Amino acid sequence: MTTSQPLLVAFDLDDTLAPSKSPVDPRVAQQLVDLARRVEVAIISGGQIAQFRSQVVDNLPDATDALAHMHLLPTCGTAYYRHDGSDFALQYSRDLTDDEKSRALAAVEEEAKRLGHWESETWGPILEDRGSQITFSALGQAAPVAEKKAWDPTSAKKSALRDAVAARVPDLEVRSGGSTSVDITRKGIDKAYGMNQLAEQTGISLDDMVFYGDRLDEDGNDYPVLAMGVSCIAVDGWEDTADKLDAVIAGMPERA
């Protein structure tokens, strides 16, 4: 674990940098730019690039110098984007095959219906093909935060669905995602995978990285990062992250 100033600071997105599926606050947007003028900055989430754009990229100040030091890893790092001077451009995408997608989609829909977790009133599609990931969102991606929190406060529904789907597609990885979601990818794909990809792409050791996340508990989707030995900072919502970043940024000099 890093004991000095990190070379890279990585963040979960939902409930770490912003409320679930909501834009980052202007305070956080400015902090990300200020931080990127000091160290490399990465965001790793199970969401797809459209979510990164609407929540983060579209709300950042105009700062090309800082954006060059930002790394976006949608779908837990199975896709990777860097800024090319005008926009964030895809560097790689490791998509599921058509067969893997069709089996995953069928399994999660059938098991959700069998368990009684297929809701009739939703905000957007329940199932999404994100290329490298299939995502089940019980209430749809655009559901209000309060509705999402109330749907499965103990995570019992998600856990039951995850286990049922995993039994149907044993060759794929099935894990809890956000507050109402289950994600299906190739085996071994989680945020630890994303951090390893980040190390490979940047040449920065995991020992020189710090990760901020709101779900570092053993059942949380940020836990794989903690378990791999990366220095982690637990936060309770974006406001807590912002408060912590104020102190961090104040103690770091801007790069020459």
Side-chain angles (χ1 to χ4, degrees):
M1 297 174 66
T2 183
T3 56
S4 57
Q5 177 175 311
L7 300 180
L8 184 148
V9 179
F11 299 90
D12 168 50
L13 179 48
D14 279 346
D15 298 318
T16 296
L17 290 176
S20 180
K21 307 301 182 292
S22 303
V24 295
D25 187 87
R27 177 187 175 193
V28 172
Q30 186 61 56
Q31 286 177 322
L32 289 172
V33 167
D34 290 344
L35 190 60
R37 289 187 169 127
R38 291 158 170 80
V39 295
E40 300 299 302
V41 173
I43 303 173
I44 301 178
S45 170
Q48 58 186 331
I49 188 59
Q51 180 182 334
F52 280 64
R53 291 189 183 281
S54 64
Q55 289 188 258
V56 181
V57 176
D58 293 348
N59 302 286
L60 292 173
D62 185 11
T64 303
D65 61 317
L67 299 183
H69 297 280
M70 295 186 71
H71 311 255
L72 305 183
L73 292 97
T75 51
C76 294
T78 52
Y80 176 62
Y81 289 76
R82 289 292 307 273
H83 203 269
D84 62 7
S86 59
D87 194 8
F88 282 93
L90 180 67
Q91 306 300 303
Y92 69 71
S93 183
R94 292 165 186 156
D95 292 350
L96 294 164
T97 66
D98 289 343
D99 173 67
E100 288 169 334
K101 290 179 182 180
S102 63
R103 289 188 293 110
L105 287 164
V108 72
E109 179 172 349
E110 291 167 10
E111 293 304 319
K113 289 178 176 178
R114 182 181 67 82
L115 292 168
H117 300 335
W118 190 269
E119 303 294 337
S120 57
E121 296 184 16
T122 64
W123 290 261
I126 292 176
L127 296 177
E128 284 184 281
D129 176 356
R130 297 179 174 177
S132 54
Q133 177 176 293
I134 298 299
T135 295
F136 165 90
S137 300
L139 301 178
Q141 279 294 310
V145 173
E147 295 285 345
K148 288 185 175 184
K149 288 184 176 179
W151 185 76
D152 187 22
T154 66
S155 296
K157 292 179 181 178
K158 283 192 306 175
S159 294
L161 180 58
R162 178 195 61 207
D163 292 347
V165 175
R168 291 273 304 268
V169 287
D171 59 315
L172 299 177
E173 188 83 32
V174 185
R175 65 184 183 281
S176 293
S179 53
T180 63
S181 62
V182 169
D183 298 326
I184 306 171
T185 63
R186 292 207 174 104
K187 282 287 188 184
I189 306 298
D190 55 20
K191 286 180 183 173
Y193 172 88
M195 294 297 287
N196 278 321
Q197 291 300 305
L198 194 55
E200 182 177 319
Q201 294 294 324
T202 63
I204 297 173
S205 166
L206 294 171
D207 290 338
D208 291 316
M209 298 184 186
V210 170
F211 176 83
Y212 287 70
D214 71 303
R215 290 296 311 277
L216 290 163
D217 54 287
E218 287 194 23
D219 291 327
N221 59 3
D222 297 325
Y223 179 73
V225 183
L226 179 65
M228 74 190 300
V230 171
S231 181
C232 291
I233 297 174
V235 296
D236 183 18
W238 73 265
E239 298 95 337
D240 187 29
T241 303
D243 288 344
K244 288 180 166 66
L245 286 180
D246 278 340
V248 168
I249 292 169
M252 287 182 178
E254 289 194 27
R255 62 170 58 85

